[in-house]
Amino acid sequence: MDIVVKGRKTEVPERFRKHVAEKLKLEKIQKLDGKVISLDVEVSKEPNPRQADRCDRVEITLRSRGPVIRAEAAASDPYAALDLAADKLEARLRKQHDKRHTRRGAGRLSAAEVADNVPGAATLNGNGSVVHDDQSDSVPTKKIGSLEVVGEGPLVVREKTHVAAPMTLDQALYEMELVGHDFYLFVDSETKEPSVVYRRHAYDYGVIHLNTDPMVAQAASDAPGGALGG
């Protein structure tokens, strides 16, 4: 494989071509991607004097059996632009190489090693079925507020109970603005049911009303254990 160096609207001196061959070492590139087909380097020049610090641009295109990898950079001279583009190309090649290497299974654990290396992983028997540990009696159970927590469980930071007089929606909005919250829980004075008013985009507000379903309430009271937490 050869490196093809060409200029776009500019001449490419022989000295620069030799520098490209020294900078882009084919042996190193082929170690990162052994399926390289071609490597093209295009040099262009920006005639605008206002962009003197970025007047020379170098674009490197690497084609292989996999995806095409491009890297480009601009600087005040072509040599500096080539150095920047070459560094970008190498970084992208390494990323692609590591990605392929990972997909092939490097660093993965075998099924036999998972239980020893992954905390909380399920254990499988010879048939591939999950082996359940009969240790539920040894797991501590504690009461946090109205919740019964087994093991670590959810963390309830704080539980509050408020005495609230029924109010209108306008009053609830006013109270929410006073406390500076994004939502406000209140008892609607018309329905006598709990409701939540909340802040939406800009100056819009939303409100959620809860209606008690007699059928659901009856089913809950008839269920074993009674009410939640009872």
Side-chain angles (χ1 to χ4, degrees), residues 8-217:
R8 184 164 54 126
K9 298 181 181 180
T10 185
E11 293 291 331
V12 180
E14 188 62 29
R15 178 176 168 230
F16 182 78
R17 295 178 185 273
K18 292 181 179 179
H19 183 69
V20 170
E22 294 173 357
K23 185 68 178 179
L24 302 177
K25 299 185 182 299
L26 293 179
E27 183 181 352
K28 187 175 182 180
I29 291 175
Q30 288 175 330
K31 281 184 178 180
L32 296 174
D33 189 344
K35 300 179 181 180
V36 178
I37 298 173
S38 65
L39 188 62
D40 299 333
V41 178
E42 184 179 86
V43 184
S44 60
K45 196 169 186 68
E46 172 59 52
N48 189 347
R50 294 183 179 180
Q51 298 185 8
D53 58 335
R54 298 173 58 84
C55 61
D56 288 285
R57 178 175 294 275
V58 172
E59 179 179 314
I60 306 173
T61 304
L62 184 146
R63 293 179 175 85
S64 68
R65 296 180 186 176
V68 175
I69 300 177
R70 283 192 177 89
E72 61 179 318
S76 58
D77 64 83
Y79 295 92
L82 175 66
D83 291 346
L84 293 173
D87 291 343
K88 290 181 181 180
L89 179 70
E90 183 178 349
R92 290 170 187 173
L93 276 172
R94 289 189 181 280
K95 183 178 180 180
Q96 188 71 15
H97 177 267
D98 293 342
K99 190 176 181 180
R100 287 195 303 268
H101 189 62
T102 302
R103 284 180 176 175
R104 287 173 185 162
R108 294 183 179 179
L109 298 175
S110 65
E113 297 173 321
V114 171
D116 296 331
N117 292 274
V118 181
T123 303
L124 304 180
N125 58 20
N127 299 323
S129 302
V130 178
V131 178
H132 298 281
D133 294 331
D134 296 328
Q135 297 179 350
S136 57
D137 294 338
S138 62
V139 178
T141 301
K142 56 186 175 182
K143 196 84 170 177
I144 300 179
S146 60
L147 297 177
E148 188 175 271
V149 180
V150 178
E152 294 297 327
L155 177 62
V156 178
V157 178
R158 183 167 52 185
E159 182 180 15
K160 285 186 176 182
T161 301
H162 291 279
V163 177
M167 64 179 66
T168 64
L169 177 59
D170 288 341
Q171 289 175 314
L173 286 170
Y174 177 72
E175 294 289 341
M176 182 181 71
E177 294 294 343
L178 282 181
V179 297
H181 291 171
D182 292 329
F183 68 93
Y184 191 80
L185 176 64
F186 69 102
V187 177
D188 194 297
S189 58
E190 294 184 6
T191 64
K192 302 299 187 290
E193 297 286 353
S195 301
V196 174
V197 63
Y198 61 94
R199 193 189 311 277
R200 299 182 74 250
H201 305 292
Y203 296 99
D204 293 340
Y205 299 97
V207 60
I208 300 173
H209 298 289
L210 296 181
N211 293 324
T212 303
D213 190 329
M215 299 294 292
V216 175

